Amino acid sequence: GREYARFLDAQGIEPFVFTQATKERFAKEVYAVRYLVTHDLHHMLGGFDAGLAGEAGVLAFTVGQKTFGSVPLLMLQLFLAMLLSPTNMFRLWKNVRRGYKMGKGAKLLIGERIEEQYERPLADVRADYAIPNPHKAGILPSRPSWFAKLFYKQVTPKMMTA
């Protein structure tokens, strides 16, 4: 739990709050709710930051797990992200490749109650789910991006209230 709190603080992210409005909006979309609840945990477990390269890595992880998206969709999103943030091109590509490999090799997270593991050391949780240490796996941090700053500034508040 401490590592999760550190991750959220370091990335400037507020934890997802499951409100009555959210329950009503997604009542028939259990998978979507589950992904919303665990998305930031996927970031932390995989060692991906909340920048463009980190988001690409998490998306690749979920594609590798076969829980969301497809390889062609992932490649399209990677290409668009590279166009919009050329300073992140190398990091995007590396994190996508490594995230996909991590996702394929890891235990299927969407069905696990990972949010109940807060009291355990992060290294032990990663080991239980077959997620390698991010430093050893070569996960790269995102570089600053004017596009990401513009995008997140305009989209995040709307997403948080949705």
Side-chain angles (χ1 to χ4, degrees):
R2 180 176 8 149
E3 295 300 325
Y4 182 52
R6 280 188 193 140
F7 168 79
L8 294 175
D9 288 344
Q11 303 298 316
I13 299 171
E14 293 291 324
F16 178 76
V17 178
F18 198 67
T19 64
Q20 186 60 36
T22 307
K23 287 180 187 177
E24 292 169 8
R25 181 174 180 189
F26 294 104
K28 294 181 181 174
E29 299 178 43
V30 178
Y31 172 76
V33 170
R34 183 76 189 134
Y35 187 72
L36 286 171
V37 169
T38 61
H39 177 80
D40 291 330
L41 289 168
H42 292 186
H43 273 278
M44 185 201 54
L45 289 170
F48 298 104
D49 64 27
L52 286 177
E55 289 294 346
V58 169
L59 177 60
F61 184 93
T62 59
V63 170
Q65 294 246 301
K66 297 182 179 175
T67 57
F68 177 75
S70 63
V71 172
L73 177 62
L74 176 62
M75 291 297 107
L76 175 63
Q77 290 176 332
L78 174 63
F79 176 73
L80 293 173
M82 287 178 171
L83 286 177
L84 296 170
S85 184
T87 60
N88 275 298
M89 187 178 301
F90 174 78
R91 293 162 187 270
L92 285 157
W93 177 248
K94 290 292 184 178
N95 282 358
V96 163
R97 288 183 50 220
R98 292 170 179 154
Y100 183 77
K101 183 178 178 182
M102 287 172 93
K104 283 184 73 170
K107 191 171 183 180
L108 186 62
L109 293 186
I110 201 71
E112 296 293 324
R113 303 290 298 171
I114 55 179
E115 65 277 19
E116 293 176 359
Q117 305 293 319
Y118 289 151
E119 293 182 16
R120 299 184 59 223
L122 180 56
D124 292 350
V125 175
R126 283 182 176 142
D128 286 351
Y129 296 129
I131 298 172
N133 177 296
H135 298 293
K136 290 181 182 176
I139 302 305
L140 300 173
S142 300
R143 285 200 166 155
S145 163
W146 65 267
F147 173 76
K149 288 179 186 175
L150 176 69
F151 179 75
Y152 289 134
K153 183 184 285 185
Q154 291 180 355
V155 175
T156 302
K158 293 176 186 173
M159 290 173 61
M160 296 304 242
T161 59

